Amino acid sequence: MDAAMRMAVRGHEVVLACRTLQKANEAVDKIKTAIANDSDDAFAAISTINSVKLIPMECDLADLRNIDSFVKQLNNDKFDAVCYNAGLARNTDAKDVKRTKQGFELTVGTNHLGHFYLNQLIMSLIKDTGRIVVTASGVHDPDSPGGAQGATATLGDLAGFERAAVSDGKFDMVDGGVFNADKAYKDSKLCNVLFTRELQRRIDEKGSGVKVNCFNPGLIVGTGLFRDQNQVLTKVFDVAATNLLKVGETTKWGGGALEYMTLSANVGQQGGMYYTSPPGSSKYGDDAFGREFKMSPVSKEAKASDAGKAKRFWELSEKLVGV
């Protein structure tokens, strides 16, 4: 939401695509309230609030038909940038497999396949000079501090996707293994990185100027991402990670990272890249963007997938969503 506010205040028209229309309208209200609270000049705040262009819309990434409805309402408007920023993480102790409307495992079904399907539908609406920004995470990399904790990310030989694509479309894990909620989230972020790199390869083949990049906003506990976790422990962890251990990032800094990825000329020159920064970089504020927060290597598996696995991953994703 912070990124939407930053871009709206700059004069950009922002479509707030949320899981429900109610949540989208609430987001608009929160942004306007934040603008008022951040201003020392009441008249300037009122002027800004009246001038921002925020369009609330419903887009539930866990339901392909809902995504269809969302795209139909766009009226073929052209976009300068599209941000795939939705994220869902189950409680890490969850044992039950929750599913999307179409039967996909909920985490990967939302974080990857929902974005994938939406992108297929709106690609033609993105200007040739436009950008696509994907919110990934450092946990896609087993060699990163966060990615090394617990079950690590790997898509294996895509066995879960392979079986689902020739049967009923249902899978528990991309690699075909037993469901693990922690790993499902990390796998979904690895999916985001593969999606970014393969989409850029396909765009380049077509000769389009659209640039696709992904980024790691860092550990930001104070967002809805952790809503399925124990809320008391989450609050304690938020304070410890952000204020005491200095390894967490603030929501404001996370919004700045998304804004930087979307608008900065430093990012728009290349595509298929991954941006991240050392833990605790929010202490530098916006000065970190382009300095601590910069282009970085992806995980070994993501890089190795360029040889052909990413192509198969894309083809299976197409079969699963039916495009």
Side-chain angles (χ1 to χ4, degrees), residues 92-106:
T92 53
D93 293 328
K95 304 300 180 185
D96 61 315
V97 182
K98 290 188 176 181
R99 301 193 179 277
T100 67
K101 289 285 188 180
Q102 283 67 41
F104 311 137
E105 186 280 314
L106 184 62

Side-chain angles (χ1 to χ4, degrees), residues 70-322:
F70 165 71
V71 174
K72 288 177 182 176
Q73 294 177 61
L74 295 177
N75 298 319
N76 293 316
D77 291 335
K78 289 289 185 177
F79 291 90
D80 296 295
V82 175
C83 303
Y84 298 136
N85 188 49
L88 178 149
R90 299 283 311 282
N91 187 305
T92 53
D93 293 328
K95 304 300 180 185
D96 61 315
V97 182
K98 290 188 176 181
R99 301 193 179 277
T100 67
K101 289 285 188 180
Q102 283 67 41
F104 311 137
E105 186 280 314
L106 184 62
T107 311
V108 171
T110 302
N111 297 355
H112 165 57
L113 290 173
H115 285 131
F116 181 88
Y117 184 67
L118 174 59
N119 184 76
Q120 295 293 91
L121 297 185
I122 68 172
M123 193 68 212
S124 63
L125 302 182
I126 302 173
K127 295 178 181 179
D128 193 57
T129 56
R131 296 188 197 184
I132 298 172
V133 179
V134 183
T135 303
S137 171
V139 302
H140 88 278
D141 185 358
D143 292 329
S144 72
Q149 306 303 312
T152 57
T154 178
L155 306 185
D157 60 0
L158 307 174
F161 268 20
E162 292 280 6
R163 288 197 295 267
V166 295
S167 58
D168 59 0
K170 292 183 178 181
F171 61 88
D172 292 350
M173 300 293 288
V174 179
D175 64 2
V178 177
F179 177 71
N180 180 299
D182 181 32
K183 184 177 184 298
Y185 176 72
K186 292 170 181 171
D187 285 353
S188 76
K189 298 292 98 179
L190 179 55
C191 288
N192 291 157
V193 177
L194 263 65
F195 166 78
T196 298
R197 294 167 73 85
E198 180 64 11
L199 176 57
Q200 188 63 64
R201 186 188 70 79
R202 290 169 179 260
I203 287 173
D204 289 344
E205 280 188 347
K206 293 180 179 179
S208 171
V210 175
K211 300 300 180 188
V212 192
N213 289 292
C214 60
F215 76 106
N216 168 33
L219 175 62
I220 306 176
V221 184
T223 69
L225 177 64
F226 292 89
R227 59 183 173 270
D228 200 30
Q229 311 299 327
N230 181 297
Q231 290 305 296
V232 174
L233 293 178
T234 296
K235 183 61 178 177
V236 172
F237 181 60
D238 185 14
V239 173
T242 307
N243 300 330
L244 300 178
L245 301 176
K246 304 295 184 181
V247 296
E249 314 297 356
T250 64
T251 54
K252 183 176 182 179
W253 194 84
L258 180 52
E259 178 195 36
Y260 177 79
M261 294 293 299
T262 306
L263 302 179
S264 174
N266 295 331
V267 177
Q269 302 303 311
Q270 297 185 67
M273 300 294 129
Y274 169 70
Y275 289 73
T276 188
S277 59
S281 291
S282 61
K283 62 178 175 284
Y284 301 114
D286 287 4
D287 289 341
F289 303 130
R291 194 177 65 189
E292 285 80 12
F293 183 83
K294 60 186 177 181
M295 196 183 303
S296 304
V298 295
S299 71
K300 295 183 179 105
E301 181 170 339
K303 186 173 182 180
S305 297
D306 291 346
K309 182 175 175 179
K311 181 175 182 291
R312 183 57 181 163
F313 166 76
W314 186 280
E315 293 169 347
L316 291 170
S317 296
E318 287 181 324
K319 290 182 179 180
L320 289 171
V321 301

